């Protein structure tokens, strides 16, 4: 793999750390700013809202900016947002800082996925994208626990200062390692928007919303399940969340080569496996032996869906993939919000702390149904063709070449 992908992975590590660390810092932030923990919880939502808004907006605005420069601008905005958060004088300022830090998230991963796929051979594109996503998974193993511990000992502001330093290091790595990509590769806003309206792209985004919503229906309440149902202590939660990150990493490592070999079967298989694991997790949560295994499996099969979904929307928007790729991360964050809401609704209805796993299984099945429907429609649609001139005896004539 090119060293440039390492720069993308380091950037993904910083983004993943700042995205998830607030969940562990909510009590500290609430106490310091004189607000309640539920109110402080809106700081998580503010970041997610920034991702949903920023992914299509910033990608569209930067459609004519060379991708290397766009990555630098987005990482610069991410760093500014975290510095703003670190020195926010009050709750509302911090809310704004979180929104600002979330704005470049989806656009960065969208542009970064396209850049990574352009730097390798056609049959290794998914592995390159998965390698970039490894930074996000490692953040859940190392970055989030370390940043949470740092915030608990030195104050939550120290966490965002350190993440800002990671942002600066990422800027240096991106500047040194990312190659220039010619402007001919970039379409205008109109071309990007037309690609986003492709039925297969829309179905891919819907698959992400429902399928990945199944993961967040459980992940959002994983700490409560492990303490209230399984019986682990509060101090064990960080380790359990790290196990989820290990599962994510294993899923990302497996998803790359599998997606390069067979994209749609990998997507179908991961969504089906996710539904099965979520149903099993409903029972596994009651055992201190089985529950940690279930946490790893959930992270693995859940994150195995991300690479094929990313490659699917990029492939179906091949001539203008950046906006579709970035919008996929808006879809993931809608899945985050929707899955958490539905899981919480099940708990509030009195169905029990493990009921979100069954809700998640239903969402995964819906995502699988959408994916299979998209696959059937794709097979039934006529294959696109390109026409190229061929010079032969008797003068030039046209040759029709099918394109997959």
């Amino acid at each position: 793999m090119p060293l440039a992908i390492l720069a993308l992975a380091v950037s993904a590590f910083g983004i993943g750390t700042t995205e998830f660390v607030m969940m562990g810092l909510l009590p500290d932030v609430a106490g310091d700013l004189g607000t309640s923990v539920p109110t402080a919880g809106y700081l998580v939502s503010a970041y997610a809202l920034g991702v949903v808004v920023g992914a299509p907006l910033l990608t569209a605005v930067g459609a004519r900016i060379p991708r290397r420069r766009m990555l630098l601008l987005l990482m610069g905005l991410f760093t500014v947002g975290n510095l703003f958060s670190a020195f926010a004088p009050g709750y509302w300022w911090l809310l704004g800082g979180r929104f600002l830090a979330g704005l470049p998230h989806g656009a960065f991963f969208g542009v970064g996925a396209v850049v990574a796929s352009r730097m390798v051979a056609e049959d290794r594109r998914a592995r390159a994208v998965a390698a970039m996503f490894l930074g996000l998974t490692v953040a859940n193993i190392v970055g989030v626990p370390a940043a949470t511990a740092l915030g608990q000992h030195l104050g939550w502001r120290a966490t965002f200062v350190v993440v800002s330093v990671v942002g600066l290091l990422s800027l240096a790595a991106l500047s040194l390692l990312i190659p220039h990509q010619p402007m001919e590769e970039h379409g205008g806003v109109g071309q990007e928007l037309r690609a986003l309206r492709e039925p297969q792209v829309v179905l891919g985004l819907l698959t992400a919303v429902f399928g990945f919503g199944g993961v967040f229906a459980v992940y959002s309440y994983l700490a409560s399940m492990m303490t209230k149902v399984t019986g682990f202590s509060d101090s064990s939660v960080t380790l359990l969340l790290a196990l989820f990150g290990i599962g994510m990493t294993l899923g990302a490592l497996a998803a790359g080569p599998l997606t390069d070999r067979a994209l749609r079967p990998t997507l179908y298989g991961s969504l089906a496996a996710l539904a099965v694991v979520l149903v099993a997790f409903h029972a596994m949560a009651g055992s201190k032996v089985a529950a940690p295994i279930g946490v790893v499996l959930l992270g693995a099969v859940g994150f195995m869906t991300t690479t094929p979904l990313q490659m699917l929307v990029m492939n179906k928007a091949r001539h203008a993939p950046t906006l579709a790729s970035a919008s996929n991360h808006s879809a993931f964050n809608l899945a985050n919000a929707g899955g958490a809401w539905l899981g919480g609704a099940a708990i509030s209805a009195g169905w029990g702390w493990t009921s979100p796993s069954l809700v998640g299984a239903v969402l995964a099945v819906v995502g699988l149904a959408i994916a299979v429907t998209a696959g059937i429609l794709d097979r039934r649609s006529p294959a696109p063709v390109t026409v190229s001139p061929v010079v032969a005896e008797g003068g030039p004539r046209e040759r029709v070449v099918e394109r997959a």
Side-chain angles (χ1 to χ4, degrees):
M1 287 288 176
L3 274 177
I5 294 178
L6 176 62
L8 293 170
V10 171
S11 303
F13 175 85
I15 292 173
T17 299
T18 204
E19 178 182 17
F20 293 108
V21 73
M22 183 56 74
M23 297 173 186
L25 294 177
L26 285 181
D28 302 270
V29 173
D32 185 53
L33 299 181
T35 188
S36 67
V37 171
T39 301
Y42 291 121
L43 296 167
V44 178
S45 302
Y47 186 93
L49 180 61
V51 179
V52 173
V53 172
L57 180 63
L58 294 182
T59 305
V61 169
R64 297 299 303 174
I65 298 176
R67 291 189 180 118
R68 178 178 177 275
R69 187 183 305 167
M70 186 65 178
L71 288 172
L72 291 171
L73 290 171
L74 291 169
M75 185 49 58
L77 180 59
F78 168 82
T79 304
V80 169
N82 280 283
L83 280 173
F84 193 93
S85 298
F87 297 101
Y91 172 79
W92 291 103
W93 288 97
L94 180 56
L95 197 73
R98 290 291 291 168
F99 178 80
L100 185 63
L103 280 174
H105 176 126
F108 184 91
F109 279 112
V111 176
V114 175
V115 169
S117 68
R118 294 290 195 269
M119 291 190 292
V120 295
E122 184 77 17
D123 62 349
R124 298 184 65 84
R125 293 173 66 226
R127 270 168 278 201
V129 172
M132 180 187 72
F133 283 145
L134 279 176
L136 188 62
T137 68
V138 172
N140 281 272
I141 302 173
V142 180
V144 173
T148 301
L150 178 70
Q152 290 170 343
H153 287 87
L154 299 181
W156 60 268
R157 296 179 188 277
T159 295
F160 293 107
V161 171
V162 170
V163 172
S164 300
V165 172
V166 175
L168 292 173
L169 293 174
S170 299
L171 278 169
L174 292 169
S175 179
L176 290 171
L177 298 176
I178 298 295
H180 171 73
Q181 293 190 347
M183 281 297 294
E184 300 86 72
E185 293 187 15
H186 302 268
V189 176
Q191 186 177 357
E192 293 280 353
L193 289 173
R194 283 192 296 274
L196 194 61
R197 293 197 299 267
E198 286 290 327
Q200 287 294 324
V201 173
V202 174
L203 289 171
L205 296 177
L206 285 174
T207 302
V209 170
F210 284 95
F212 213 67
V215 178
F216 277 101
V218 174
Y219 183 75
S220 302
Y221 305 98
L222 189 60
S224 296
M225 288 185 198
M226 294 297 98
T227 56
K228 297 179 183 298
V229 177
T230 316
F232 283 110
S233 64
D234 291 339
S235 60
S236 302
V237 170
T238 300
L239 176 60
L240 291 166
L241 293 178
L243 288 177
F244 185 85
I246 291 172
M248 291 172 65
T249 303
L250 294 173
L253 288 170
L258 288 173
T259 302
D260 277 326
R261 183 172 300 176
L263 192 155
R264 286 198 188 272
T266 300
L267 179 58
Y268 301 156
S270 60
L271 286 170
L274 176 60
V276 171
V277 169
L278 284 166
V279 172
F281 194 76
H282 182 68
M284 297 172 77
S287 167
K288 284 190 174 182
V289 175
I293 298 172
V295 170
V296 175
L297 289 174
L298 180 61
V301 297
F303 210 77
M304 273 189 71
T305 64
T306 58
T307 298
L309 281 168
Q310 188 76 44
M311 296 306 301
L312 178 65
V313 297
M314 287 168 56
N315 289 345
K316 295 304 176 183
R318 179 175 288 274
H319 297 296
T322 310
L323 183 56
S325 178
S327 296
N328 203 37
H329 293 274
S330 291
F332 285 141
N333 276 268
L334 287 174
N336 184 344
W341 180 77
L342 289 172
I347 295 171
S348 299
W351 295 352
W353 282 102
T354 59
S355 60
S357 61
L358 299 181
V359 172
V362 173
L363 290 174
V365 170
V366 173
L368 176 60
I370 296 172
V372 171
T373 301
I376 293 171
L377 293 175
D378 199 29
R379 286 197 300 272
R380 289 179 178 176
S381 63
V385 298
T386 57
V387 180
S388 60
V390 177
V391 178
E393 188 177 355
R397 54 188 173 86
E398 288 186 337
R399 177 180 65 190
V400 178
V401 181
E402 289 192 1
R403 177 171 56 84

